[in-house]
Every structure is written in structure tokens, then in C-alpha cells.
Amino acid sequence: MQEKLSGAEIRQQFIDFFVEYGHTFVPSSSLVPGGDSTLLFTNAGMVQFKDVFLGTDQRPYSRAVNSQKCLRVSGKHNDLEQVGRDNTHHTFFEMLGNWSFGDYYKKETITWAWQLLTDVWKLPKERLWATYFKDELGEIPEDRQAAGVWLQQAGFDPDHLLAFGRKENFWEMADTGPCGPDSEIHFDRGPEYCQKSDDPHHVCQVNGDCDRFLEIWNNVFIQYNRLSENELVPLEKTHVDTGMGFERIVSILQDVPSNYKTDLFMPLIKYIQSLTGDSDAEREANLTPYRVIADHTRATTFLIADGVVPGNIGRNYVCRMLIRRSARFGMKLDLNEPFMANVARIVIENYGDFYPELKRNAAAIMDSLTREEKQFKKTVAAGLDHLDEILSDLRIGGKTILDGALAFDLYATLGLPLEITRDVAQEQGLDVDTEGFQEAMEAHRLASGAGEIFGEMGGEDVQIYADLLAKLQQSGELRATGVAYSPYQPIHEPTEILALVRDGKAVDKVGVGEQVAVLLPRTWFYVEAGGQVSDTGQIVSVNGNKWTIKITEMQKPAAGVIVHIGEVLEGQPKVGDRALVQVDQDRRHQIMRNHTATHLLHAALQDILGDHARQAGSLVAPDRLRFDFTHPQAMTRQEILAVEAHVNQAILANYPLQIAEKSLEQAMEEGAMALFGEKYGAVVRTISIGDQEDLSYELCGGTHVDETGDIGLFLITFEGSVAAGVRRIEAVTGWRAYQYARERMNFLDQANTFLGTAPSELLPKIQSMEEEISISKKRIKSLEGKLVKIKIKEQNQLSYVPEYDIQYLTEIFPNVDIGALRESTDIFQDNYTSGCIVLGSTDSNKNPIIVTAITEDLVDKGLHAGKIAKSIAKIIGGGGGGSARLAQAGGKDKDKLREALDQVPNILKNMLDEKKHKIDK
Ligand code: ATP
Ligand code: MG
């Protein structure tokens, strides 16, 4: 073996090796798969090339090499349980791959793999093993070709070639689609890696159950298209898709026993160790938390750089879960203050050259991590205590499974992700009913109408459209690349209905009032992408029987398929009818204004706030635009106005828009802004705005105005928060902006007319009126108080409870505060030698209040003001109390105030009756 190479050198050597053999280097796509609603995260190198295999996308190269960012924590590929517990599985990892799109095949790729591993990297040949496909059911032909190529490799031990069946060596992207046999390369790490040597029945073997043989590289030969469970058709072209675990090959080349001991992870582990103060031996004895923290921090650093911030559903949930899980493992190491930002800083330093998005988003990454850790501390610590109680109850009750609904409750109310609950339960020898959790969550999701939280997002009707596509391609009615997409072309030529789908079934014709999906060979409708909503409009008959379909929605149900969805307004459209597409042009124009304005807004935000203000979500609709971006705090009013002014200046400058197609590489080199969640092919569309120096330069597939002046006017209508570290701006343009401004000016005009002021005098006028009102209010209050006192003084006839010879006074005064009421009772006491007074009013919330007081002699007789107040409080729906002489009460039901005061003689009487009764006894 050579002198130790660094991880970065190993990655580069892999790329250089294949570039030498004519491969084009293709940068990693985002962890968020673009334009693919079936997948939560990119989980293999092939995700960005899926459509190339299906024949619905083309690239200017037929050989590619890349290092792809992958995340395996959801859906079909979920390695979370292994992470931290073994040395070879991560949540986030890099997959090195070489690709042939209808170019070379098995011979070349196997030969190159062997050459790279043994010649360039000098791995001992006797420690390499290879597998090939042999169908255990005997239905799919055995891959003799691959086996033959292996046997030709110089120095390859024929005994190291093993055949495996479908589970190990037949690779499928999904239930349908491109697939084929594969050949895995395994490395024998040596008998000392076997953790089962004590077991006399154990045999170390490839694909066995110990750590001795490590899978490092999978070579997939894509030669079939799976149409259904038992229908496999050969593809016209064959492809190669390979994936090598980067961290694993680095551990082998650096000759260390674990991925975590490579230079990719050691700096992170060392840093964490410096925080805990553990010795090396202590660290090794308690390695799991170190591994989890290093893994999860690295994963979330990459996730946030790709625009996935912590949140409650979908991808955001996964980001939150990973941060919280890492924070909890931190607690196990007594790391109780936020620490992940500093770990992330090391990730950014070490990976930033190859993945510049990390550097660009460094501030946002560190900020998001720290915020989420703080949030975790605030809410989740309580959740953990609660969980401990639940678990100990379970154990006492002899149970071993924590109820799924209960686990969901811990998540919903205390923010404890299932994964953490499961960790804690497992540490105590218990388990969680995850199915029950999912059910509870699903029920909750349905009830709340929110988005999907876990796993793959399902695409309905995929099968029927995949079948239609295959059929129409075979008959030549559809091109190999599927439906032609021409949203940028103004001219709509007549076309033809290729298929109609109603209720999930292909039909020949549809009638008035029916909902239908219409498939044409070409469409001029824009299909929702990059935040821009789909077009709406109509499809009408060209000649023959007259019909009209109103189109309200566009969908891409399967790769290469675009359908128009809507309702038949008249006539009976049939498959084969000539048709004309009519996009709603007014609506489209409004959308274009908003889309171009979105680009100007993005550029203005970066100008005013800084480069960290990047797009985190966008909606471009006809009536408004909504733009989410990363920024840690609320914008000031000044900043908002400056951004708005920037955009309007660019509009007035009437810059032309340049729209060009170029290679992704060139666009990136020129500094074009790429957005997350967008899928970019090798050829990209760029939009630049500005004169000589571009004001804005973005990759974008949307539709735009020709010149910025077309936007008319741009007004920001809202600025607020969406999530930690993410702000939202809403704005209007064009006619909507005019309407918005006009409406506001009308309000202003009405106010000026009413007050007889000029616009510039309006605010001072309102301020002076406010002042006057507040002075007047105070005066009224004090006068009302005085009035009450006068009334009480003037009262010469009090009411009377004859049985006990008690005088009393009850009175309601509107809008008098409790202080004034209390003072008035003093006046009463000064003026009457004996008696009870109860005064009622309503407070500023329109709730009833009362104050009551009695003279000293009545206390001696057995009355108590506090008790009187309590009795009254019961009637007005509230509470009250106080001393024997003075008390007050408040309630909710002001309509009961009168009734309550009418009850005063009875209350007094009852109180004295009771007293008497006691004495009699
Ligand atoms: P394993 O059986 O080891 O989980 P796999 O069969 O799931 O591997 P593939 O889907 O074939 O792996 O992925 C290609 C390569 O990516 C593997 O050969 C392996 O080197 C690497 N790999 C797969 N999963 C992980 C992971 N969770 N962390 C790091 N590397 C991985
Ligand atoms: Mg796996």
C-alpha cells in the first residue's frame, strides 16, 4: 500500500482516473432531489441520472464520473439504526461513481475498477472478492458476461468470484423502471475484524454476518426496464451505474479499522473529545455518542447547505430529528450547551473546497444548528424526563413495548422525535411500536391536513402512465424522450389527443362534466416547477365535432409524461381528435411579471442583507409572489423599503432579459445562482438581467418578461418569519400592485375628506386627536367617580332587610373603575353609621365587577364583606373575596349583574339565618 493519501486526494484520484478514460466530471446534485416528488432525499448517485436511463433526458456526454452527496435516513434506504453502532454506515455519505449512458459496458467498467483498486491504489489482490448475479428462480439469465470479465482480470483469484441471487445482486430503482444485474466488490479486512470468532458455527464470508468482508463498490448493469412484477423487457441501450462508498474506501486506503478513524471524521471526533475532556481510552470505551454526533452534525451541515432547515414535516423533520438526536447524544457526554456549530465549522473547513455550498452557507448552517439545539434544550429535556417515567412504569408493569400512540404524543406535545424515543427505550431494554407511531401520526396528519412526515412520497397512477408511455413510444406516436415541452414558444400549433385518462383508466372518449387527464405529444402549458405555478387554459377541438376542455391543473405523473387535467365543458373529446391548446395568456403574463420580479427581489435581498440571504422557497402565482430566504432576524422597515426601492429601480431601468442555454459547468463558473430542490441537467437555462454587469444571474426554467419595465410596479405586502432562520416576503406586481396601491390611497383619501386634512397633515392630526381623546377619557373617569360619590351622598332612602334590621344600598354605575367604586364605599361608610353597600360596574374588557363594604356594627352581627362578594361572584360567573369590611368580585357575565345585586337582601338574610341557626343549635 502507498503512503497514506488524504480523503480529499482519494476522491480526486477517483475522479481523475475516470476523466482519463473520457468521463466528464459532473458535480453532485443536491440532497434534495430536483423535480422528483417520489423521493425525500438523494440516496444514490443515480438519482440525478434517472431520466437518462429511462430515455426521457439526454446529456451531452455518454460517460460521467461524480461524487454524489447521499442521505439514507428515510424510505427504502434507511440506515439510521446502524449509524453510530457500526463503523461503516452513515446517514450522510458520499458515493463515488462512474457512469456509462449507452456507451461502454461490463468489460470496461470491471476492468477499470480492478485497475484502479489494484494498480493505482495497490490494494492486495488476494483480499478482493467479487460477486455476480445468478437468479435463484432461474427466470432472469445468469450474468455470465460479468463473471467472464472478472476471470480475465490479471491476478484475480477465480475462487473469489461468487454468485448471488436477486436480493444481493439484482438492482432495481423502484417497483418499475430501469434495472439489471450488478456485481459487488468486497474487501477482506482480515480475520481480526470478525466479531463472531467465539461462535463455533460462524463462518466468515462475503455477504455474511460479521465485519470481516466489507462491501466497497457496486457496479450495476442497467439492461432491462421492469414494466410490472413479472414483465422485464430489454432496454434499447445498456448503461453502467456504479457506486463506491467513499468513506469505506478511505478507511481501507488509510488502513484504519473504521470510517470514523479516517481523516474525514477524526478532526470532528477529536474536537468533541476536547469538549468532554475524555482520554483516548475513555473515548473508545464510549464511542457511540462520538460517532453519532460526528455523523449527524456532518449530515445536517450538508442538509442545511442544501436548504433543508429544521422543521416539523418531511425533509425538515429529518433535519430536526438528526440535530436533536445528536444533541441528546451530546447530553450523554455532558455536553449541555450548544456545541454543534463548532463541529460544523470543521466540516465546512474540511469539505468546503469540494462542496462550495458549505462555505457559502456557513453562517446559516451554524446559526440553524445552534437555534435548534437551544430549542431542543427548552422543550425536549422535559420530554425526556417524562419518557423516563413512562418507561419505568412499563418496566414495573412487566411490559417491553412502548405504545406507538404514546410515542407519537411525546413527539406532538414535547417535540421528542420517534428516533430519540426509540434510542432511549432501547437503551433500557425496551422497544417502541413504530407501526403504531406511524398510524397515530398518519391519523394526525389526515386530521390536520398537513404534509407527509416520513418516507417516500407516493405518486399515484404512475403505473398507468408508464404503460401508456411505453405503448405510445413503441407505436411511434410519442418521441423517445416523451411529451415535448414547449412553454416558451408563443405559437401553439394544432396537435392531437394521444390518450385520455378518467378515474385512473385510459378511455377512448369523455363527455360533458367529466374530469379527465389529457395526453398530447406536445404541450405549451408551463408545468409547476421552480416555484412557478402551472398554466391554466383550455384545449379545444380544431375541426370535426366541437368540444372544449377547461384545463385547471398540469401534472407529471411519470418521467416523460405530462398531462393536462380538467373538465369537459362541451362536446365529446375522443382519442385521435385534432386539438388546439390555448394557454390563459393574461394569467401567464401576470405570472411572468412575478417571476422576473422574484429574481430581482432575490438579487436585492443579497445586496441589502448580504450573501447569506438565499432562496429557501418560492411561489410564483398570478396574483402574488412569495419568497422565503435565509436570514436570522426580522428585516427592519428601512431594509424592507430599500429592497423594494432596489427592485423598482431595476424595473424603471427597463433592463432586457437574456435567456441562454449553456453547460451547467459554464453557468456555475460564470457565477450563476443555482437553487436547491431544482434539478439541473448538463445543459441549463440561464436568466440574466442587467446591462453590462448582471444584476441577477440565475439558473431557471421559468417564463419571464422580455424587459424589466413590463413588471410595472413592485410592492412588498408582507415580511415575516416562516421557521427558525427563514424569513418570508410577499409582494405584488403589475396591475395587482396598482390595485393594491389604489386601494390604500382610497382609504387615505376617505380619511382626509372625513377629517378635512391634506395628506401631509393626516398623521399629525390623528396624533393630536389621540392625545385629546386620552385627556378626555381621564377627565370622564374622574368626573364619573365624583358623580358616583355625589349620588351616594344624596341617597337618603336606603333599602331595608326588616327581619334583621339592616340597611343596604345597591347601585350599578356604567364604566367606573374598581378604584372609584372602592372610594365610593368609603363615602358610604362616612355617611352612614350602619349598613351594607354593593356597587357594580363593568371593567375595560366589559366584564362585570363589584365592590362591597359593611359598617363595623354589621361585622359584629355576623356579616362578612368577603363572603358577600363570593356569593355575588358565583352569580356573575367569577370569583371574589376580601376582608370582613371591604371586598370585591369580578365575573364574566355582565348580564347577570342586575340579578346579582337584586339578590343582595337574600344573601344578607341567608348569612344571618345561618348564623342564628348555629347559635340555636
Ligand atoms: P450495505 O449492504 O453495506 O448497506 P448497500 O448494498 O446498501 O450497502 P449500495 O446501495 O449498493 O449499498 O451503495 C453503493 C455503495 O455505497 C456501497 O457499496 C457502500 O460502499 C456504500 N454505502 C451504502 N450505504 C452506505 C452508508 N449508509 N454509509 C456509507 N456508505 C454506504
Ligand atoms: Mg444498505
Side-chain angles (χ1 to χ4, degrees):
M1 267 186 229
Q2 300 183 336
E3 254 319 281
K4 276 192 187 176
L5 294 165
S6 72
E9 285 167 334
I10 292 167
R11 188 197 291 117
Q12 197 55 50
Q13 286 193 353
F14 179 90
I15 293 166
D16 292 346
F17 178 85
F18 284 101
V19 167
E20 279 278 296
Y21 284 111
H23 292 63
T24 299
F25 170 68
V26 179
S28 172
S29 64
S30 165
L31 282 169
V32 178
D36 189 341
S37 62
T38 64
L39 207 59
L40 213 50
F41 293 108
T42 300
N43 56 18
M46 59 79 56
V47 169
Q48 67 164 318
F49 300 121
K50 195 167 137 179
D51 290 347
V52 184
F53 293 140
L54 284 164
T56 55
D57 189 8
Q58 278 158 355
R59 300 292 167 112
Y61 42 77
S62 58
R63 296 177 179 195
V65 58
N66 70 344
S67 177
Q68 174 64 47
K69 302 182 277 189
C70 297
L71 194 71
R72 292 194 171 178
V73 277
S74 61
K76 195 170 174 185
H77 289 283
N78 190 340
D79 290 342
L80 190 69
E81 291 230 44
Q82 269 115 297
V83 175
R85 307 206 162 90
D86 78 6
N87 286 316
T88 55
H89 284 89
H90 308 294
T91 56
F92 168 90
F93 65 99
E94 288 175 81
M95 198 184 278
L96 303 171
N98 58 290
W99 307 84
S100 157
F101 305 119
D103 190 316
Y104 61 82
Y105 208 38
K106 298 174 188 173
K107 181 165 187 296
E108 292 84 348
T109 193
I110 291 174
T111 306
W112 288 333
W114 184 250
Q115 187 191 344
L116 176 63
L117 293 173
T118 62
D119 224 30
V120 179
W121 285 338
K122 306 272 187 266
L123 291 183
K125 293 175 179 164
E126 68 280 6
R127 292 172 71 176
L128 287 165
W129 292 66
T131 65
Y132 73 99
F133 174 67
K134 186 173 177 186
D135 190 8
E136 65 272 33
L137 303 178
E139 288 168 6
I140 309 171
E142 172 181 355
D143 193 359
R144 293 222 186 86
Q145 209 187 346
V149 179
W150 272 115
L151 295 174
Q152 283 162 20
Q153 301 307 313
F156 178 74
D157 180 348
D159 290 342
H160 284 195
L161 181 65
L162 307 169
F164 283 91
R166 294 188 180 195
K167 181 172 160 282
E168 302 292 349
N169 280 65
F170 195 85
W171 187 88
E172 315 211 20
M173 179 177 72
D175 294 341
T176 60
C179 56
D182 63 54
S183 172
E184 290 175 351
I185 303 171
H186 295 249
F187 186 74
D188 180 357
R189 299 229 70 182
E192 65 276 21
Y193 278 76
C194 174
Q195 69 276 42
K196 300 213 163 158
S197 50
D198 293 344
D199 178 353
H201 304 293
H202 172 77
V203 184
C204 295
Q205 56 191 333
V206 166
N207 288 330
D209 57 354
C210 75
D211 290 345
R212 175 164 168 185
F213 291 93
L214 177 63
E215 176 190 334
I216 53 174
W217 199 350
N218 196 359
N219 281 244
V220 183
F221 313 118
I222 299 193
Q223 61 186 63
Y224 301 110
N225 186 9
R226 185 176 281 291
L227 295 180
S228 66
E229 202 188 323
N230 31 35
E231 209 179 346
L232 217 50
V233 295
L235 285 173
E236 212 173 286
K237 288 184 170 171
T238 55
H239 315 280
V240 173
D241 151 6
T242 88
M244 166 146 70
F246 174 56
E247 293 78 2
R248 293 189 190 178
I249 190 66
V250 172
S251 79
I252 289 170
L253 293 174
Q254 294 184 348
D255 196 21
V256 288
S258 154
N259 291 3
Y260 293 96
K261 293 272 156 72
T262 64
D263 68 339
L264 303 173
F265 279 105
M266 240 6 232
L268 310 183
I269 304 257
K270 283 254 167 71
Y271 172 75
I272 302 163
Q273 193 180 349
S274 78
L275 294 181
T276 61
D278 277 350
S279 69
D280 287 357
E282 284 165 338
R283 181 193 76 202
E284 290 305 298
N286 189 19
L287 206 53
T288 296
Y290 282 93
R291 295 196 278 212
V292 171
I293 294 169
D295 175 90
H296 288 14
T297 310
R298 189 175 75 143
T300 45
T301 300
F302 274 91
L303 264 181
I304 298 167
D306 277 351
V308 182
V309 291
N312 279 338
I313 57 169
R315 301 183 171 108
N316 308 87
Y317 170 83
V318 172
C319 183
R320 163 162 288 170
M321 180 275 288
L322 289 172
I323 298 173
R324 293 189 172 189
R325 194 166 186 258
S326 169
R328 194 189 81 88
F329 274 93
M331 285 162 62
K332 286 169 162 279
L333 297 177
D334 274 339
L335 302 179
N336 293 313
E337 292 305 315
F339 61 91
M340 288 171 70
N342 284 328
V343 182
R345 191 196 305 274
I346 305 172
V347 177
I348 297 165
E349 271 165 26
N350 292 357
Y351 284 87
D353 286 339
F354 196 76
Y355 296 105
E357 64 271 27
L358 297 180
K359 284 190 187 164
R360 274 203 302 275
N361 302 309
I365 293 168
M366 306 203 334
D367 191 59
S368 272
L369 288 172
T370 306
R371 272 166 195 268
E372 185 62 20
E373 281 177 280
K374 285 189 181 152
Q375 176 94 1
F376 172 81
K377 266 198 76 177
K378 246 199 291 187
T379 65
V380 182
L384 287 172
D385 288 346
H386 188 46
L387 175 60
D388 267 338
E389 281 166 26
I390 296 177
L391 292 176
S392 84
D393 283 351
L394 279 183
R395 247 175 298 126
I396 292 165
K399 301 222 174 78
T400 56
I401 306 280
L402 173 67
D403 183 59
L406 214 60
F408 177 70
D409 203 44
L410 282 170
Y411 171 62
T413 57
L414 296 166
L416 213 59
L418 167 70
E419 290 78 356
I420 294 184
T421 300
R422 191 177 56 195
D423 286 338
V424 178
Q426 285 176 353
E427 284 160 17
Q428 304 192 11
L430 302 161
D431 215 334
V432 182
D433 168 20
T434 45
E435 261 171 44
F437 180 96
Q438 310 283 13
E439 276 164 24
M441 177 169 272
E442 181 64 12
H444 175 80
R445 184 177 75 82
L446 291 179
S448 66
E452 195 146 335
I453 301 193
F454 282 108
E456 247 68 307
M457 299 184 249
E460 284 163 33
D461 297 342
V462 176
Q463 191 53 49
I464 162 159
Y465 287 109
D467 291 350
L468 269 175
L469 182 72
K471 198 185 102 198
L472 292 166
Q473 281 171 337
Q474 257 161 26
S475 68
E477 287 167 281
L478 255 188
R479 312 180 307 164
T481 49
V483 175
Y485 187 45
S486 319
Y488 316 117
Q489 278 183 12
I491 310 294
H492 303 173
E493 301 133 29
T495 177
E496 176 195 346
I497 296 185
L498 288 186
L500 294 166
V501 175
R502 189 189 57 208
D503 297 332
K505 286 194 196 71
V507 291
D508 290 336
K509 58 174 189 276
V510 278
V512 175
E514 291 185 320
Q515 287 287 327
V516 61
V518 186
L519 185 68
L520 308 172
R522 143 165 281 159
T523 187
W524 291 264
F525 278 73
Y526 186 83
V527 185
E528 178 169 351
Q532 178 175 335
V533 299
S534 295
D535 282 331
T536 60
Q538 324 195 88
I539 303 177
V540 298
S541 53
V542 174
N543 42 33
N545 70 329
K546 187 167 155 46
W547 51 258
T548 305
I549 308 170
K550 180 179 171 199
I551 302 303
T552 48
E553 200 188 325
M554 296 296 294
Q555 273 182 11
K556 274 186 180 168
V561 182
I562 300 173
V563 286
H564 310 71
I565 295 175
E567 184 188 327
V568 181
L569 292 186
E570 57 170 340
Q572 216 180 37
K574 295 193 306 296
V575 172
D577 277 358
R578 302 277 290 156
L580 190 66
V581 161
Q582 295 172 339
V583 173
D584 181 341
Q585 292 298 343
D586 269 355
R587 185 173 174 279
R588 163 71 87 82
H589 209 117
Q590 291 171 30
I591 292 172
M592 299 202 304
R593 288 194 191 98
N594 282 337
H595 204 154
T596 308
T598 298
H599 285 214
L600 293 176
L601 170 63
H602 195 182
L605 284 168
Q606 298 209 323
D607 254 13
I608 305 283
L609 302 178
D611 285 345
H612 66 277
R614 295 164 317 120
Q615 175 165 346
S618 152
L619 171 74
V620 180
D623 58 339
R624 80 208 139 104
L625 64 93
R626 190 178 74 206
F627 190 76
D628 296 347
F629 57 100
T630 44
H631 185 56
Q633 72 258 6
M635 287 174 74
T636 63
R637 179 161 172 79
Q638 258 170 333
E639 286 168 339
I640 295 172
L641 293 179
V643 166
E644 192 181 75
H646 255 53
V647 174
N648 282 298
Q649 274 158 3
I651 291 172
L652 288 175
N654 201 23
Y655 294 123
L657 269 79
Q658 266 97 36
I659 301 181
E661 292 205 341
K662 52 185 73 164
S663 74
L664 178 62
E665 218 177 355
Q666 188 191 344
M668 297 308 279
E669 252 165 41
E670 291 168 355
M673 188 145 37
L675 309 176
F676 351 102
E678 285 313 310
K679 177 181 155 169
Y680 298 112
V683 178
V684 294
R685 192 161 170 272
T686 61
I687 315 283
S688 44
I689 310 176
D691 261 347
Q692 276 100 31
E693 203 163 311
D694 288 331
L695 208 70
S696 150
Y697 187 21
E698 293 197 20
L699 304 188
C700 176
T703 59
H704 288 268
V705 297
D706 295 333
E707 289 159 339
T708 55
D710 292 350
I711 297 170
L713 173 62
F714 168 87
L715 292 175
I716 294 178
T717 55
F718 171 83
E719 193 274 345
S721 157
V722 214
V726 182
R727 308 293 305 174
R728 167 168 295 174
I729 279 184
E730 286 178 0
V732 288
T733 65
W735 185 249
R736 264 317 282 241
Y738 166 76
Q739 285 177 316
Y740 181 84
R742 184 67 264 165
E743 193 183 71
R744 253 133 239 255
M745 287 195 296
N746 285 348
F747 292 144
L748 210 62
D749 289 348
Q750 283 164 6
N752 280 318
T753 311
F754 184 74
L755 295 174
T757 47
S760 64
E761 294 163 0
L762 183 62
L763 191 61
K765 176 83 186 176
I766 291 174
Q767 280 164 340
S768 81
M769 283 167 65
E770 270 284 323
E771 254 164 57
E772 269 172 41
I773 290 171
S774 120
I775 292 169
S776 303
K777 270 188 182 163
K778 275 187 204 140
R779 277 179 59 107
I780 291 171
K781 267 254 131 69
S782 114
L783 287 173
E784 270 175 348
K786 281 186 187 143
L787 206 63
V788 173
K789 290 172 200 163
I790 290 168
K791 269 199 169 170
I792 288 169
K793 258 191 212 160
E794 283 179 348
Q795 195 85 31
N796 40 28
Q797 187 80 58
L798 297 184
S799 304
Y800 192 55
V801 184
E803 293 91 331
Y804 290 103
D805 187 23
I806 289 174
Q807 302 192 96
Y808 70 93
L809 172 64
T810 63
E811 197 77 59
I812 296 177
F813 298 102
N815 302 320
V816 177
D817 65 33
I818 199 127
L821 292 183
R822 232 178 295 147
E823 280 168 30
S824 308
T825 62
D826 289 347
I827 307 257
F828 175 81
Q829 306 231 31
D830 293 348
N831 283 273
Y832 296 92
T833 45
S834 172
C836 164
I837 179 167
V838 183
L839 300 177
S841 187
T842 44
D843 68 7
S844 52
N845 296 324
K846 305 251 178 316
N847 286 324
I849 49 175
I850 64 111
V851 172
T852 176
I854 55 177
T855 48
E856 187 72 47
D857 61 314
L858 296 189
V859 177
D860 298 341
K861 273 197 175 174
L863 288 178
H864 189 284
K867 288 179 187 158
I868 299 171
K870 275 208 180 90
S871 303
I872 293 174
K874 254 186 222 151
I875 305 173
I876 56 175
S883 66
R885 302 268 322 258
L886 178 68
Q888 64 191 55
K892 294 205 173 57
D893 197 351
K894 72 174 190 313
D895 296 337
K896 289 266 170 74
L897 195 55
R898 168 61 33 204
E899 180 191 330
L901 296 199
D902 289 347
Q903 285 297 322
V904 166
N906 288 335
I907 293 170
L908 300 177
K909 203 169 147 297
N910 286 345
M911 223 171 256
L912 293 170
D913 280 351
E914 217 171 279
K915 171 104 193 277
K916 188 160 162 247
H917 193 63
K918 267 191 201 150
I919 294 169
D920 290 350
K921 263 201 202 164

